[in-house]
Each structure stands twice: as structure tokens, then as C-alpha cells.
Amino acid sequence: MLRGRAVTLRPATDADVPVLAAIRATPEVRHWWRGGDDLAEAVRADLADDDLTVYAIEHDGRVVGAIQWYAEPDPDYRHAAMDIFLDPAVRGAGLGGDAIRTLARHLVDEHGHHRFTIDPAAANTAAIRAYAKVGFRPVGIMRRYERGADGRWHDALLMDLLADELAD
């Protein structure tokens, strides 16, 4: 369990699948995360992926989202990448930033990571603003990076954060 100011991060389990799938099904989250017709199966696939570590984000005793990370295995390019989604009902309360800071501090202290990346859709201005508040900086646009639900390719913004730039 990782404790932030307002959130607790704990390893996500199969018991979390229904609530995480329900959050992923909200239009605001689904727009950016997608996941096909069976979102419960998409969440289960993330939990089963040996390269990902998925934490349930808890606030006031309930699951309000998930944050996940994976590590670049090549020691010459070592870094951790993160992704996060939150229930739209709790957005604007700083919980996403708290979860990111909590995970980043853990990855520095326990895993020795010095650099983090995140890659929101270039059109996801709310996420980009939230990541910037934590200290992430834009690196550049990754053109036609991800295929959207509309079948077209969309740009993403690569952002990175060095451990000593992590904002409180």
C-alpha cells in the first residue's frame, strides 16, 4: 500500500474489475482509454500483463480510478512510464496529481527510477494541465501515435519528469 496525501494506492485485484470497468465506461474516460466492447476483459488483461503494475486508487474508502506503470528494461534507457484514469466524479480535487506523486516517489525510493514518461492524447488538454502541475514537461508531439475509436490516427504528447523535478 502506498499512501499519498488524499489517496491510497494498492495493488488492483480481480475484485476491482467491476468498479474499474464501470469507471472506464464513463464517456469522459472511455473517450481516451477505449478498450473494446468488454471493458471488464480489458481491465483483466491489464491486471494479467506481467509488464504492468496496476494500482487501484482509493479515496475516502472507495476505488476512484487506477494508475499503472511499466519499466523500460534496457538499463541504458531506464525509465518508468505511467498511465492513470479517474472517475469523473472526483476530478478537480487533486487526486490524480496526488496518485502520480505517490507512485513516482515510490518508484524513486524503491526501484531507483530517475525519469518518468506519460503520453496523453495531444487533444486531452485537461490531462496535460494536470500532469504539468506535478512537474511533467512536454517533450514533443508523437504524430499519428494511436488509433482512435473512430478508426483514425491521433497525435499524442510525450511528457517526461525527472525525479528531482517532482512538484509537491
Side-chain angles (χ1 to χ4, degrees):
M1 288 249 235
L2 309 176
R3 299 202 187 278
R5 291 182 180 145
V7 300
T8 300
L9 309 182
R10 62 164 177 75
T13 68
D14 285 337
D16 298 311
V17 169
V19 70
L20 293 177
I23 294 168
R24 293 261 308 261
T26 61
E28 300 92 328
V29 176
R30 189 172 179 88
H31 178 75
W32 304 113
W33 274 74
R34 300 179 334 271
D37 293 332
D38 188 346
L39 292 177
E41 182 52 38
V43 172
R44 278 190 208 90
D46 285 346
L47 296 179
D49 186 335
D50 291 336
D51 293 330
L52 280 179
T53 301
V54 183
Y55 290 96
I57 302 170
E58 292 185 343
H59 174 68
D60 287 342
R62 71 180 187 98
V63 174
V64 296
I67 188 167
Q68 62 191 33
W69 72 278
Y70 63 92
E72 166 58 50
D74 185 327
D76 293 337
Y77 295 92
R78 190 167 197 275
H79 71 278
M82 298 180 188
D83 285 306
I84 184 172
F85 65 86
L86 285 178
D87 185 332
V90 300
R91 288 205 185 130
L95 302 181
D98 188 25
I100 291 169
R101 279 188 294 276
T102 301
L103 179 58
R105 285 192 181 99
H106 169 72
L107 294 174
V108 170
D109 295 345
E110 300 300 320
H111 296 273
H113 283 286
H114 73 286
R115 181 174 171 267
F116 309 97
T117 62
I118 201 159
D119 58 359
N124 192 346
T125 56
I128 292 166
R129 275 193 311 272
Y131 303 149
K133 286 180 185 176
V134 178
F136 279 90
R137 297 180 184 180
V139 174
I141 295 291
M142 297 184 291
R143 300 177 306 150
R144 297 182 186 165
Y145 176 72
E146 179 177 48
R147 190 185 320 265
D150 62 4
R152 296 183 4 221
W153 290 98
H154 298 272
D155 296 345
L157 176 64
L158 178 62
M159 301 178 79
D160 74 356
L161 169 71
L162 299 179
D164 58 358
E165 297 169 343
L166 185 61
D168 288 328

